[in-house]
Amino acid sequence: MINLLLFPVLIPFLFATILLFFPKKVKAQRVITTLGLLTALVSAFALLWKVKTDGVQSLTLGSWAPPFGITMVSDMMSTLLVTSSLLIALFVVWFSFTSIGIKRETSFYYPAILFMLTGVNGAFTTGDIFNMFVFFEVLLMSSYVLIVLGGEKVQLRESIKYILVNVVSSSLFVITVGYLYSIVGTLNMADISIKLAAIGQAGIVTVIAVLFLIVFGIKGAIFPLFFWLPGSYAAPPIPVLTLFGALLTKVGVYAIIRTYTLFFTTDIGFTHELLMIISILTIIAGCIGALAYFDVKKIVIYNIIIAVGVILFGASVMNESGMMGSIFYLIHDILIKGALFLLIGVIIHITGTSDLRKMGGLIKRYPVLGWSYLIAAFGLAGIPPLSGFIGKLLIVQGGLEGELLWQSIFILASSLIVLLSAIRIFIYAFWGEEKGVQQVQPRTYRHLLAPTITLVVITVLYGVGSEYLVPFMTDATTVLLDPSVYTDAVFGGGK
Amino acid sequence: MEILMSILIGFLFMAAVYLILSRSLLRIIIGTGLLSHGTHLLLLTMGGLGGKAAPVLTEGVTVKDYVDPLPQALILTAIVISFGVTAFSLVLAYRTYKELGTDNMDLMKGTEDND
């Protein structure tokens, strides 16, 4: 099964195309979407197993010799990301059944989600820099549709800004690819890596590295390029927000990690120092935002920015523990942000508002929701048995090994602020006198709660069972720290 | 030749940035159009402007005489993508104008009294 690594990309695409034919049949749409996601998820797990046993998988389409065709590469990191993005999408779709409303469902909502997954998984899997641009556009186009679908005033207003920012960053991406092509004369990522290593420490390479940081930084919301994110993400309905918050910024983060470990390894003193400073500033900006708002959506949205900073800090130190911590934290963050946004979606559904000051005392009527929120909040902050702990521990350890004492202290301090911001939601929404509690139908509530609780349970399992995940993470780290494993796989895989 | 093209592309980028920073929605979209023109010209220029024959196999033309075919393929891809995005954003701008009654970006702030 040499084509196995294409299945997580192709299966959502195939099912999305099928769904386009009968937009009004909601039942069929739901069933086929779930079926498609489950199939894709099974193939992703099969791929995960394959990569674990046989090492990095690569496939050059059309049987061309590697640098000339488009190569798709699945190393452990991209496979883990593909698997977790499909997992999140499954829960989002499950949640959407009750929450998104029939009007959106009949307007190509599910095809848009599946097309977006095609883009996300393609961007994770591709081994060609221009192909990555194309997959970025696939996911961005679908995200434009998802963010504006429904056509409320706030959605229209914010999606204009979102599209504008992304159009500019896409242009910048093409410009940067153009510069890179003029230097190395190739687009294959493994080939670029070899050619750039041969060029060595040229000034123009560093300039291109910084340009890539800007391009992917706009997608991944780093300081000072995160300005578009809080407004735009607050506009769409909760399931869409969950999908965006869990996946879209992570594609940018993945692209930064990929380019900074594969391409730009010759002038680490400058590029990675810059990345480190920016990641610290990102954390600070996110912390300020997370404490400043009384809006539950905004609080969690700013927590996305903090997590992006933490992940990039781990990647910037370029040693084994830091990198491994980054990957642990990246997967954790996809899962926990998914869970948190869904939990907040249930809270907003019950209270009818996202303003913390207008809610209170939910714990009496909705204890299960309350306690699972508390668990998710602890997981987010990184309390030991839960999922955020091991990643942050390794990142701090990596920072200390790289003799970055203050920065590591910053990471630890940011956890406190994350905890504070998450607990504030708990205190305001669940404690105190009952107010703003509306009577929701118990059936709707149960249907909303089921996917949410399952996702929280998965994050808990991720934390408790992190010991079993260590071999996977070690594999991912090895490829990231040693680009020759990647290039060997690409140029050896075409035989 | 490359120098001349670089200067031209620089001007396109300048005009695009100026237009994108303006208030009117339509001017912003014109700006993105100019930006993508600049980008595509840049791709063409970065591939090198040497070469005599178009990249179509013809008898009597040696390999060295062909222009680089790769940037042309990249540009073609980028053009259709930016077509799609521009069409989408134009319709979105139209819809926004109908719904919100303004094309002034200053009046589209997400503040509480301006919802």
Side-chain angles (χ1 to χ4, degrees):
Chain A
M1 272 303 232
I2 191 169
N3 291 329
L4 183 64
L5 79 168
L6 292 177
F7 283 6
V9 187
L10 289 184
I11 291 174
F13 182 68
L14 179 74
F15 277 85
T17 322
I18 294 172
L19 287 178
L20 292 178
F21 287 105
F22 39 87
K24 303 292 173 204
K25 296 190 173 135
V26 177
K27 276 261 164 61
Q29 292 262 324
R30 288 178 183 178
V31 170
I32 291 177
T33 311
T34 318
L35 207 66
L37 284 172
L38 282 174
T39 333
L41 197 60
V42 168
S43 77
F45 274 115
L47 179 64
L48 194 67
W49 185 249
K50 178 90 174 158
V51 173
K52 183 78 197 81
T53 45
D54 296 352
V56 182
Q57 298 291 308
S58 98
L59 169 71
T60 307
L61 304 178
S63 303
W64 296 93
F68 302 114
I70 286 175
T71 312
M72 302 295 270
V73 187
S74 271
D75 65 341
M76 187 46 90
M77 185 186 187
S78 71
T79 317
L80 283 170
L81 285 167
V82 162
T83 315
S84 37
S85 63
L86 285 168
L87 197 66
I88 284 294
L90 191 65
F91 286 103
V92 168
V93 165
W94 185 4
F95 192 84
S96 304
F97 292 163
T98 16
S99 100
I100 198 76
I102 207 92
K103 258 188 135 172
R104 285 193 173 94
E105 280 181 302
T106 51
S107 318
F108 301 102
Y109 171 74
Y110 294 116
I113 285 186
L114 289 181
F115 277 129
M116 196 176 109
L117 275 175
T118 313
V120 169
N121 287 346
F124 286 145
T125 317
T126 187
D128 182 287
I129 196 76
F130 195 77
N131 195 230
M132 186 187 250
F133 162 73
V134 175
F135 275 122
F136 265 90
E137 288 303 311
V138 172
L139 79 89
L140 285 173
M141 274 292 235
S142 329
S143 75
Y144 301 157
V145 173
L146 283 174
I147 201 172
V148 81
L149 195 66
E152 293 161 24
K153 281 186 177 171
V154 57
Q155 282 182 302
L156 288 168
R157 200 181 60 210
E158 293 303 333
S159 55
I160 283 185
K161 296 166 195 169
Y162 177 74
I163 291 176
L164 182 64
V165 165
N166 279 304
V167 165
V168 172
S169 91
S170 297
S171 289
L172 210 53
F173 196 170
V174 179
I175 292 167
T176 315
V177 169
Y179 287 155
L180 191 62
Y181 179 70
S182 77
I183 293 171
V184 292
T186 177
L187 294 167
N188 185 303
M189 280 158 77
D191 205 25
I192 292 174
S193 165
I194 293 169
K195 296 236 165 84
L196 279 182
I199 291 171
Q201 206 170 336
I204 186 75
V205 179
T206 313
V207 172
I208 291 174
V210 174
L211 272 175
F212 266 126
L213 186 62
I214 294 173
V215 170
F216 297 136
I218 297 177
K219 316 269 188 208
I222 61 175
F223 179 88
L225 305 167
F226 65 88
F227 54 88
W228 56 273
L229 185 132
S232 300
Y233 277 23
I238 287 293
V240 178
L241 169 60
T242 312
L243 211 55
F244 282 19
L247 297 183
L248 288 197
T249 50
K250 272 62 180 188
V251 185
V253 171
Y254 164 80
I256 291 177
I257 295 179
R258 179 61 79 202
T259 47
Y260 272 61
T261 52
L262 193 60
F263 297 173
F264 309 115
T265 46
T266 43
D267 192 9
I268 287 187
F270 180 78
T271 50
H272 289 61
E273 175 103 20
L274 180 70
L275 187 60
M276 195 261 295
I277 294 168
I278 282 179
S279 62
I280 295 291
L281 290 173
T282 310
I283 294 171
I284 295 173
C287 286
I288 293 171
L291 291 182
Y293 284 94
F294 275 100
D295 184 312
V296 279
K297 280 187 191 172
K298 283 273 167 66
I299 292 173
V300 186
I301 285 171
Y302 275 100
N303 270 301
I304 300 176
I305 298 172
I306 300 177
V308 166
V310 172
I311 295 164
L312 287 182
F313 175 77
S316 73
V317 296
M318 284 297 266
N319 59 28
E320 206 186 330
S321 5
M323 199 61 85
M324 195 157 147
S326 275
I327 303 166
F328 256 117
Y329 204 77
L330 188 55
I331 308 292
H332 145 76
D333 195 58
I334 291 178
L335 296 174
I336 198 82
K337 287 286 142 59
L340 268 179
F341 277 121
L342 292 186
L343 282 163
I344 278 172
V346 182
I347 295 175
I348 291 176
H349 187 83
I350 291 170
T351 57
T353 172
S354 63
D355 192 341
L356 276 181
R357 285 166 293 197
K358 290 180 189 153
M359 48 176 96
L362 289 181
I363 198 85
K364 278 177 205 143
R365 276 198 221 172
Y366 304 102
V368 183
L369 178 67
W371 297 121
S372 47
Y373 177 81
L374 193 68
I375 292 171
F378 282 160
L380 180 73
I383 308 278
L386 299 168
S387 59
F389 172 68
I390 180 82
K392 218 171 247 179
L393 177 76
L394 285 167
I395 288 172
V396 169
Q397 191 189 333
L400 292 176
E401 279 169 16
E403 296 184 343
L404 301 165
L405 178 65
W406 282 107
Q407 290 86 333
S408 308
I409 291 175
F410 241 105
I411 302 282
L412 291 174
S414 79
S415 299
L416 284 179
I417 294 182
V418 168
L419 183 64
L420 178 59
S421 70
I423 287 299
R424 256 181 38 168
I425 297 181
F426 184 72
I427 291 173
Y428 272 90
F430 290 99
W431 286 0
E433 288 174 36
E434 265 192 33
K435 61 180 167 185
V437 185
Q438 291 170 345
Q439 257 325 326
V440 283
Q441 285 187 348
R443 195 156 158 268
T444 321
Y445 172 69
R446 275 202 308 274
H447 281 197
L448 289 176
L449 206 59
T452 315
I453 299 285
T454 323
L455 197 52
V456 173
V457 169
I458 288 178
T459 66
V460 171
L461 290 179
Y462 180 81
V464 175
S466 50
E467 201 184 319
Y468 300 99
L469 293 167
V470 169
F472 294 90
M473 303 298 175
T474 319
D475 279 9
T477 317
T478 321
V479 181
L480 287 180
L481 287 178
D482 185 7
S484 66
V485 180
Y486 187 95
T487 51
D488 287 350
V490 171
F491 285 105
K495 279 174 204 159
Chain B
M1 192 61 191
E2 274 90 349
I3 302 270
L4 211 61
M5 286 294 279
S6 308
I7 293 168
L8 171 70
I9 294 161
F11 269 104
L12 278 174
F13 284 160
M14 189 181 71
V17 169
Y18 177 74
L19 284 172
I20 287 174
L21 292 177
S22 60
R23 275 196 211 96
S24 156
L25 203 47
L26 211 52
R27 282 164 75 97
I28 292 175
I29 295 177
I30 294 173
T32 58
L34 285 185
L35 187 65
S36 56
H37 286 331
T39 314
H40 302 150
L41 282 180
L42 184 94
L43 269 185
L44 193 70
T45 314
M46 283 294 148
L49 293 173
K52 293 171 203 132
V56 182
L57 284 177
T58 338
E59 282 206 23
V61 186
T62 51
V63 177
K64 274 186 182 168
D65 286 337
Y66 289 117
V67 272
D68 192 350
L70 193 61
Q72 301 188 6
L74 301 189
I75 292 166
L76 200 59
T77 315
I79 285 175
V80 292
I81 288 174
S82 69
F83 256 178
V85 176
T86 311
F88 189 87
S89 51
L90 276 172
V91 175
L92 183 67
Y94 175 69
R95 184 70 198 279
T96 313
Y97 178 69
K98 285 214 127 176
E99 202 83 8
L100 302 179
T102 177
D103 75 331
N104 190 337
M105 287 302 277
D106 274 1
L107 298 177
M108 291 191 212
K109 285 175 188 158
T111 46
E112 272 169 36
D113 52 309
N114 195 0
D115 225 1

